[in-house]
Amino acid sequence: MQRGNFNVFCGPDFGKETRVSFVEGDILDTRQLKLAVADSDVIFNLAGAVPSKQAFTAPHVFEQINNWGTANLVNALRELKASSKLIHVSSLGVYGSGRFEKIDSPIPSDPYGLSKLRGEAHIQVGKEELGLDCAVIRCPSIFGYSKNLRLDSLLNRMVFDANFSGKVVVPGDIEAFSPHSDINGLVHQLASLVETELEDSILFARCSNVSAQMLLHALEQLFPGLQSTSVDANQYRQQLVFSESLPFVVPVDERILLSQVERFLANFSFKQS
């Protein structure tokens, strides 16, 4: 909603028997937050400011929401003496950039990653010192269709443009890799945590190292006449790559990637002829 996207409110009626309700609030509003989380069984904290290529976000915004907003939530649960399970969604951006053969200590390289790491620290305090039932799950960039589709994400934008214009523009190094999770797989993993004992304080979303070139190859199979343009191909694009030997990293399978793209395309209103 902060992005001006209200699509989540569009679509079929949930019906009278739904257990879904909407409360508009602010994670920095302590009183309102306590009212919202009181008597809850499970809380997923997805509140967060994220970087966007389409709009500048001042560093203090990341700090307020990702860091102090998380602190507000932990303090609210402490004051309520709540027994709620808290699953805090963080980011692999806490690792900055580089290639990781093992899980090293995070070294954020920008205000966003630093704010997410500071937010994680409040969850650790909640678990270790306050006895809260909570954990952090570090997620990569998300790939796939949702009502609130982010088109400032390169891979999502490529699929969207291939479908509606038949042209794809790839900025920077087309071979640069970054970790991505298919949105459907991530939703299932998050849902499974509801019934899972949160023994570890840090969890990882399953992901794959994907490059724009790999996605372009899949799109070219689905759109034989697709036009692609590489812009500033020699410009370095920050890479974050995790070894496929790590338990949460899934090797890329071209057939699976192709099926994910096809599932993505199936949600669009019409296709490029």
Side-chain angles (χ1 to χ4, degrees):
M1 290 178 63
Q2 192 175 36
R3 292 170 172 267
N5 190 331
F6 298 89
N7 291 344
V8 69
F9 300 107
C10 303
D13 189 342
F14 284 124
K16 294 181 179 179
E17 303 303 318
T18 183
R19 296 171 62 188
V20 176
S21 60
F22 171 75
V23 178
E24 184 174 6
D26 187 334
I27 197 170
L28 297 174
D29 185 331
T30 303
R31 178 180 175 278
Q32 193 176 42
L33 185 62
K34 288 172 68 174
L35 290 173
V37 302
D39 301 321
S40 58
D41 296 315
V42 182
I43 300 167
F44 287 92
N45 181 26
L46 286 82
V50 297
S52 170
K53 295 181 178 65
Q54 296 178 351
F56 171 75
T57 302
H60 76 273
V61 175
F62 296 129
E63 190 69 12
Q64 285 182 330
I65 299 175
N66 301 343
N67 180 15
W68 297 117
T70 306
N72 249 13
L73 178 56
V74 171
N75 286 334
L77 295 177
R78 174 181 60 82
E79 292 176 10
L80 290 167
K81 295 181 170 54
S83 59
S84 311
K85 174 183 287 188
L86 170 59
I87 299 161
H88 174 71
V89 177
S90 187
S91 169
L92 289 177
V94 299
Y95 290 100
S97 61
R99 293 179 176 270
F100 292 83
E101 297 298 324
K102 57 187 180 70
I103 298 302
D104 294 316
S105 298
I107 308 177
S109 60
D110 57 25
Y112 168 72
L114 182 59
S115 69
K116 294 299 283 187
L117 185 60
R118 287 172 173 166
E120 290 183 7
H122 299 296
I123 303 298
Q124 294 274 36
V125 169
K127 188 177 188 69
E128 297 172 6
E129 299 182 19
L130 304 178
L132 298 179
D133 185 15
C134 55
V136 168
I137 180 167
R138 290 174 177 163
C139 298
S141 297
I142 310 303
F143 170 74
Y145 174 83
S146 74
K147 283 185 176 181
N148 289 337
L149 176 64
R150 283 189 58 191
L151 292 179
D152 55 348
S153 170
L154 176 60
L155 300 194
N156 284 349
R157 185 79 211 191
M158 288 176 65
V159 175
F160 183 88
D161 288 345
N163 184 77
F164 288 102
S165 68
K167 300 176 183 178
V168 171
V169 176
V170 183
D173 184 3
I174 194 172
E175 297 180 356
F177 285 89
S178 60
H180 282 74
S181 285
D182 172 64
I183 191 169
N184 297 287
L186 178 60
V187 167
H188 286 301
Q189 186 176 0
L190 290 174
S192 71
L193 295 178
V194 172
E195 304 295 339
T196 302
E197 290 292 327
L198 302 179
E199 297 178 358
D200 297 323
S201 59
I202 302 292
L203 308 171
F204 293 86
R206 289 185 291 272
C207 63
S208 299
N209 298 309
V210 182
S211 69
Q213 187 174 54
M214 296 169 65
L215 179 59
L216 181 60
H217 179 65
L219 290 171
E220 287 173 339
Q221 294 181 60
L222 298 170
F223 301 94
L226 181 66
Q227 299 178 40
S228 61
T229 304
S230 182
V231 178
D232 297 327
N234 295 324
Q235 181 179 349
Y236 174 76
R237 192 165 77 233
Q238 182 172 288
Q239 290 195 86
L240 179 60
V241 180
F242 291 90
S243 170
E244 293 183 351
S245 64
L246 293 170
F248 63 91
V249 180
V250 181
V252 177
D253 184 312
E254 289 188 3
R255 293 171 299 176
I256 294 178
L257 180 59
L258 189 64
S259 68
Q260 290 173 347
V261 174
E262 288 177 324
R263 186 165 59 241
F264 195 157
L265 292 168
N267 291 281
F268 290 143
S269 300
F270 66 91
K271 291 181 173 57
Q272 181 73 19
S273 57

